């Protein structure tokens, strides 16, 4: 078993800020040595741990504060992707940069990593990849990712029955389901969609915080995981029941109702959350289009995106469900709506899907 090693580097001189604290997780001794040498020569970074497996990383994160984890994907004894949600949780706000030969731009592995909560992904140096500039590219990515976010969602959860009050869900016919997610969203979304009946008689909208280049691949992965047709939403597209409509990475997924027909309206105005796409405009638009027939589901993610739109949905008679802290990679977005008293349930994604199934008329659904 490879041991955790620590190395203190000079503090960054710029702005008098301390260096970013880094952990390298890679089963290859050569990769560990090369990456260590690259970051160790830069005073902007402090290498605090070097480990050879995801298990060792989780052990180290219990005692070593880290800003960024450089994580390989393919490692014996446990995939880096499989361990990613646990690493994010254990890191208490630490960011994850995937550094892997499988991390090509737009690749399925990259999309899954970003959907699970990685901050960015970078291919390992090789023939034709960044040439001799890899060290500079790596340093630029690390600076851009920045410090760990020690946010309230890393703290202890509020107890149900204490600061959280659950609302009645209502019993109007289900007409639309809108899901919002960010960090750790792919795992949560697939956990929800795999349990949801394939035919609920209502369109499904998804807003996931991802850049535009990854959305087509993300939609394909949702389709494969859920057994439903999934498509990236386009302007003027008519909503179809039991089809997943995914927000493109450069616009909010909003709706326009004209009589009985509801179509997609893409909106690129700045959202209060600062996210593009943002969950808030989607939920607000769903509220206006479907009223008490709409159910919003807020899944794992950092921040409070979905809170403002969730209020609008509640005001229009709709319902909000939230993922619980125990199953969330980051309990930020779900926590915000739960502690605001908007949620009718705070549960793991499969149990949230069962609540939606009951609302859709399935009397018993496992």
């Amino acid at each position: 078993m490879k041991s955790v090693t620590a190395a203190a580097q000079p503090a960054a001189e710029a702005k008098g800020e301390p260096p970013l604290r880094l952990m390298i997780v890679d089963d290859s001794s050569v990769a560990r040595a090369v990456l260590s040498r690259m970051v160790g020569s830069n005073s902007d970074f402090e290498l605090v741990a070097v480990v050879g497996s995801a298990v060792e990383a989780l052990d180290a994160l219990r005692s070593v504060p880290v800003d960024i984890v450089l994580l390989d994907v393919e490692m014996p004894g446990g995939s880096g992707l499989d361990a990613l949600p646990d690493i994010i949780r254990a890191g208490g706000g630490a960011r994850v940069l995937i550094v892997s030969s499988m991390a090509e731009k737009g690749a399925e592995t990259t999309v899954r990593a970003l959907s699970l909560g990685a901050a960015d992904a970078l291919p390992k140096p090789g023939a034709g990849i960044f040439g001799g500039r890899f060290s500079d590219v790596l340093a630029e990515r690390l600076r851009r990712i920045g410090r760990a976010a020690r946010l309230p969602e890393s703290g202890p959860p509020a107890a149900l029955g204490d600061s959280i009050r659950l609302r009645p869900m209502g019993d109007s016919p289900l007409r639309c389901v809108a899901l919002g997610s960010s960090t750790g969203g792919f795992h949560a979304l697939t956990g929800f969609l795999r349990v949801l009946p394939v035919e609920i008689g209502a369109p499904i909208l998804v807003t996931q915080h991802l850049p535009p280049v990854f959305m087509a691949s993300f939609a394909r992965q949702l389709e494969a995981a859920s057994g439903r047709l999934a498509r990236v939403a386009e302007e003027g597209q008519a909503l179809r029941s039991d089809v997943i409509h995914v927000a493109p990475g450069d616009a909010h997924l909003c709706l326009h109702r004209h009589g009985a027909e509801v179509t997609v309206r893409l909106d690129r105005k700045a959202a209060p959350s600062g996210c593009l796409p943002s969950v808030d405009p989607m939920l607000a638009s769903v509220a206006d289009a479907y009223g008490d027939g709409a159910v919003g589901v807020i899944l794992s993610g950092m921040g409070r995106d979905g809170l403002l739109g969730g209020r609008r949905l509640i005001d229009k008679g709709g319902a909000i469900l939230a993922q619980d802290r125990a199953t969330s990679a980051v309990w930020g977005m779900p926590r915000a709506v739960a502690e605001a008293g908007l949620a009718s349930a705070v549960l793991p994604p499969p149990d949230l899907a069962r609540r939606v199934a009951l609302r859709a008329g399935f009397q018993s659904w496992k």
Side-chain angles (χ1 to χ4, degrees), residues 200-284:
I200 59 170
I204 301 169
L205 278 57
V206 172
T207 290
Q208 163 74 37
H209 298 162
L210 279 177
V213 69
F214 300 113
M215 284 306 184
S217 178
F218 176 66
R220 288 195 300 270
Q221 292 192 33
L222 287 184
E223 182 169 300
S226 68
R228 296 172 176 78
L229 180 64
R231 59 177 61 179
V232 178
E234 299 177 358
E235 181 69 31
Q237 185 181 76
L239 292 197
R240 290 173 51 189
S241 293
D242 304 311
V243 171
I244 301 171
H245 303 267
V246 180
D250 60 353
H252 312 302
L253 173 51
C254 297
L255 305 178
H256 173 72
R257 176 175 285 281
H258 183 73
E261 184 180 53
V262 179
T263 57
V264 170
R265 179 175 60 84
L266 299 181
D267 186 352
R268 293 177 173 83
K269 295 177 184 176
S273 67
C275 301
L276 185 68
S278 171
V279 180
D280 282 322
M282 176 185 70
L283 291 182

